[in-house]
Amino acid sequence: MKKKIIIANWKMKLSGPAAQELIREFIDIYQPTEKAEVVICPDYLNLPLISQAIKDTEIALGAQNCFWEKTGAFTGEISPKFLKEAGARYVIVGHSERRTYLGETNEMVNNKVKAALAEGLAPIVCVGETFEERQEGNKDFVIINQVNKAVADVKLNEGDELIIAYEPVWVIGSGQAVAPEEAEHTHRVIRQVLMDNFEIDVIDEKIRLIYGGSIEPANLKGFLTMPNIDGALVGGASLDPIAFNDLLKEVS
Ligand code: PGA
């Protein structure tokens, strides 16, 4: 069985002092376990602060986005190389909020995945359908297309890691997750797409599929008992140190 991974997506919710306070409170109560890997994804400015705060812990650092070039005249962008230097091991790519508000396309996501891997970062690729797409009966089609395009021409070499996070867009921040069985169905669809793109042992060794969307301590376990769900991407509940720690207790 793959090690479970719980990823905190702090979004643009915390100023520097608030982020420092949250990480301090969390580290105080957090008990590392063999069963769960923990990743914190603060905004860009808070990466060095959080990197410093977690340096003697088992917690890993992730960014919420990256650009696809290493360096150059790209005003306002951040290179995966700089993220690596700031201590990140993971990077979220293609979150639905970026697809919606910043016009991030599947092609951009694919470029970011390749650039992140080239720097030794593990991309956390977010995919998911909108409510309308679901109503129109296009959910699986949308997911298949997003995953296929995200991993097009991607090679996973020794030491590489890739995470696909299924996040139904309409569920994010709603307080109402989908049923674990439904997420499991979608994860099977994703696994099928991955089988068209990678050897089975590559999928088994290097790719984890996680669910995101209104995860809380009370519902996490239902997802983690599904055979194709390897963890969770958590927004709201990751901003409360006690709730986030309770989530991790559910894993162990
Ligand atoms: P949520 O956010 O847990 O608040 O629904 C998840 C996400 O956007 O990654």
Side-chain angles (χ1 to χ4, degrees):
M1 215 170 59
K2 290 175 190 171
K3 190 164 180 178
K4 304 287 187 218
I5 186 162
I6 306 292
I7 303 171
N9 175 10
W10 286 358
K11 310 196 179 190
M12 198 184 73
K13 301 242 180 165
L14 302 170
S15 65
Q20 284 192 65
E21 192 181 327
L22 174 55
I23 198 67
R24 221 178 298 119
E25 287 175 3
F26 175 62
I27 289 172
D28 269 355
I29 53 177
Y30 164 64
Q31 308 264 333
T33 111
E34 282 293 292
K35 295 198 175 133
E37 231 176 294
V38 182
V39 183
I40 306 273
C41 302
D43 63 88
Y44 284 143
L45 279 179
N46 278 315
L47 282 169
L49 289 173
I50 303 301
S51 178
Q52 182 64 20
I54 63 177
K55 73 176 188 321
D56 297 323
T57 74
E58 306 283 303
I59 304 164
L61 187 67
Q64 297 176 14
N65 177 41
C66 67
F67 192 53
W68 55 78
E69 295 290 346
K70 214 179 186 138
T71 169
F74 303 106
T75 303
E77 291 299 331
I78 304 274
S79 152
K81 183 170 185 278
F82 304 168
L83 296 178
K84 193 76 196 281
E85 283 169 7
R89 269 185 25 218
Y90 293 86
V91 58
I92 299 173
V93 171
H95 190 281
S96 64
E97 287 148 15
R98 297 197 57 83
R99 293 181 191 255
T100 305
Y101 303 126
L102 293 144
E104 205 154 294
T105 64
N106 288 325
E107 289 67 30
M108 291 177 183
V109 170
N110 179 242
N111 287 336
K112 291 179 182 201
V113 168
K114 289 184 204 155
L117 285 167
E119 286 304 324
L121 292 170
I124 303 158
V125 181
C126 298
V127 298
E129 81 287 0
T130 63
F131 190 69
E132 292 71 34
E133 288 164 341
R134 180 188 188 83
Q135 290 290 85
E136 288 156 8
N138 288 330
K139 187 196 92 179
D140 286 1
F141 172 76
V142 168
I143 307 288
I144 290 167
N145 189 42
Q146 287 176 341
V147 176
N148 250 327
K149 293 209 166 125
V151 302
D153 303 319
V154 168
K155 301 266 173 305
L156 294 176
N157 300 311
E158 193 61 37
D160 286 347
E161 194 193 337
L162 174 69
I163 295 173
I164 310 273
Y166 168 52
E167 298 204 302
V169 177
W170 51 285
V171 160
I172 292 174
S174 71
Q176 187 65 55
V178 296
E181 292 73 15
E182 193 181 329
E184 168 68 14
H185 163 84
T186 309
H187 282 213
R188 284 191 200 167
V189 172
I190 294 171
R191 196 176 154 79
Q192 206 61 43
V193 178
L194 293 173
M195 284 167 74
D196 292 337
N197 289 275
F198 301 98
E199 302 288 332
I200 193 81
D201 54 337
V202 170
I203 299 173
D204 288 344
E205 279 167 29
K206 303 185 193 302
I207 306 183
R208 279 183 284 192
L209 306 184
I210 66 174
Y211 167 81
S214 295
I215 280 290
E216 356 176 298
N219 63 20
L220 180 66
K221 201 165 233 153
F223 289 92
L224 296 185
T225 50
M226 295 291 143
N228 289 290
I229 302 186
D230 305 314
L233 180 55
V234 187
S238 73
L239 298 172
D240 173 349
I242 295 171
F244 193 57
N245 192 52
D246 284 349
L247 278 175
L248 300 171
K249 286 196 210 147
E250 289 299 320
V251 187
S252 45

